[in-house]
Amino acid sequence: MSKALFLLNMGGPNNVDEVELFLNNMFADKNILTMNRYMRSLVSQIIINKRLDEVKENYMLLGGKSPLPELTDSIIKKLKTKLDMPIYSAMRYVPPFADIALKACKEKGIKELVLFPMYPQYSTTTTLSSIEDIEQRCKDLNYSPKIRVIEPYYDDYDYIATSCEKIMDAMEGKETESYDLLLSAHGLPVSIIQAGDPYQNHVEANASAIKIYLRERGIKFHDIKLVYQSKVGNDDWLEPNLVDVLRNPTHRKVVIFPLAFTVDNSETVFELDIEHREIAEKVKYDDYIVAKCMNDDDKFVELIVEKVQAI
């Protein structure tokens, strides 16, 4: 066996006790808090001390854990029926970390690692962070495989088609023309974009491709808007902010598609489907729908297979 596949993601707490580990590792990441390590350590502790109890309570509403690990395991189970190679998940901030899998690959004599980022758009805060993590762990293990990374697939035709299927699944039995479609991407500080991160360009191209795909099939929404979610702190972030859009409605029927996530996690099942739903109820929306991520959809699994086989 000469190759192994790694699915890269930020990860999600497997239990409430892992929430603090998740936050500590995330805010210790130089790609997340782009400042010197002393300032990063200080700011990290301020944020964690302020948010830890709240975040734990949020996960309790999700059954005490993130849905992301189990959904990723389901994807891997399907992939193993289609790809003849070892397949692992490599989470950035909580187990399963890449160490154990990399040790196994070294022992098996695997000479090439194929990295599939579970992030459709490239960002230094996600894809680069995960790649650097793999590279550092390989270095620590004195393991030097060839590393090949699947390119961003935000504008891949099959990915766009499956995205639109997820949107239409959520709209089953509804008249699309009476709804606003909100394409919700995870936000980033403007400073990161100004430093050269291509994420905003990829997100905008992703949203444009979805609009074109829907229009070419005669599927009309009242309006289609690109929005950004998950803002933290007082710095300038990408706009428009989803919370602001929901609080100041121009239309009171919305369906939200999580544009920057392939697997459901706290940002989708809690932030979008619980926290922001409360905003919609207070503002008295007529309908508020959240579409599912790709998760273990067979078409998404097939996309991964095709990308891996083509590399």
Side-chain angles (χ1 to χ4, degrees):
M1 195 68 63
S2 61
K3 293 184 181 181
L5 171 63
F6 282 67
L7 304 185
L8 309 183
N9 213 331
M10 295 176 69
N14 296 279
N15 53 65
V16 174
D17 291 337
E18 280 189 358
V19 170
E20 187 169 4
L21 175 66
F22 179 84
L23 294 176
N24 273 312
N25 284 338
M26 179 169 65
F27 291 118
D29 188 342
K30 64 181 176 59
N31 291 299
I32 299 293
L33 292 180
T34 55
M35 55 192 71
N36 70 65
R37 62 191 181 94
Y38 302 107
M39 183 63 71
R40 183 162 57 249
S41 177
L42 175 62
V43 172
S44 171
Q45 286 309 305
I46 292 172
I47 295 173
I48 293 169
N49 290 339
K50 182 178 180 180
R51 297 193 62 201
L52 181 59
D53 289 341
E54 177 188 351
V55 176
K56 284 185 174 181
E57 289 175 8
N58 295 346
Y59 276 101
M60 289 303 296
L61 295 174
L62 304 181
K65 60 183 179 180
S66 170
L68 187 147
E70 289 184 9
L71 288 168
T72 304
D73 287 344
S74 181
I75 292 172
I76 291 175
K77 184 177 179 180
K78 289 188 174 184
L79 286 171
K80 285 182 175 179
T81 69
K82 299 174 179 292
L83 291 171
D84 184 22
M85 64 178 68
I87 304 172
Y88 307 97
S89 60
M91 301 302 178
R92 184 67 181 88
Y93 303 129
V94 288
F97 297 120
D99 300 71
I100 295 176
L102 289 172
K103 287 177 184 176
C105 288
K106 182 180 180 182
E107 290 171 0
K108 292 176 183 177
I110 302 254
K111 299 188 184 326
E112 184 173 325
L113 306 182
V114 180
L115 309 184
F116 185 94
M118 300 295 278
Y119 324 107
Q121 308 89 11
Y122 181 95
S123 173
T124 55
T125 61
T126 52
T127 306
L128 179 62
S129 178
S130 288
I131 293 170
E132 288 181 342
D133 180 58
I134 295 287
E135 291 174 340
Q136 182 60 52
R137 292 176 189 271
C138 283
K139 184 178 179 181
D140 293 342
L141 291 168
N142 194 28
Y143 177 38
S144 303
K146 181 177 183 180
I147 295 177
R148 306 186 72 176
V149 183
I150 301 296
E151 293 295 317
Y153 45 93
Y154 60 90
D155 59 351
D156 179 272
Y157 181 86
D158 291 334
Y159 182 76
I160 296 300
T162 306
S163 298
C164 291
E165 281 191 21
K166 289 297 179 185
I167 293 168
M168 296 311 297
D169 286 347
M171 291 299 296
E172 186 175 1
K174 309 281 187 178
E175 290 289 338
T176 59
E177 291 187 42
S178 64
Y179 285 76
D180 278 359
L181 170 58
L182 304 182
L183 302 173
S184 186
H186 198 288
L188 277 185
V190 172
S191 59
I192 290 178
I193 301 300
Q194 291 175 336
D197 193 299
Y199 176 74
Q200 183 180 15
N201 288 338
H202 288 189
V203 165
E204 290 177 354
N206 195 164
S208 177
I210 287 176
K211 290 178 183 179
I212 293 169
Y213 186 94
L214 292 171
R215 183 173 66 244
E216 288 181 345
R217 281 148 189 81
I219 300 171
K220 298 179 181 179
F221 284 86
H222 177 265
D223 194 10
I224 301 178
K225 302 175 183 176
L226 172 61
V227 295
Y228 294 92
Q229 66 179 88
S230 309
K231 180 179 179 179
V232 178
N234 297 318
D235 292 342
D236 290 335
W237 279 49
L238 293 172
E239 297 283 350
N241 185 353
L242 173 58
V243 170
D244 295 335
V245 171
L246 291 175
R247 286 177 176 166
N248 299 279
T250 56
H251 196 66
R252 293 181 185 269
K253 286 186 177 182
V254 298
V255 55
I256 300 178
F257 177 67
L259 190 69
F261 305 101
T262 54
V263 181
D264 276 310
N265 55 81
S266 64
E267 280 89 353
T268 59
V269 296
F270 174 76
E271 188 177 342
L272 292 182
D273 213 8
I274 296 177
E275 189 175 40
H276 290 2
R277 184 179 296 279
E278 292 177 358
I279 296 174
E281 289 173 351
K282 289 178 181 177
V283 180
K284 300 189 183 305
Y285 275 71
D286 296 325
D287 202 5
Y288 178 90
I289 301 170
V290 179
K292 289 292 185 183
C293 292
M294 298 290 170
N295 296 328
D296 60 352
D297 186 290
D298 288 343
K299 291 184 179 179
F300 181 54
V301 171
E302 190 58 39
L303 180 144
I304 297 174
V305 171
E306 291 176 359
K307 296 290 184 187
V308 171
Q309 290 178 335
I311 197 168

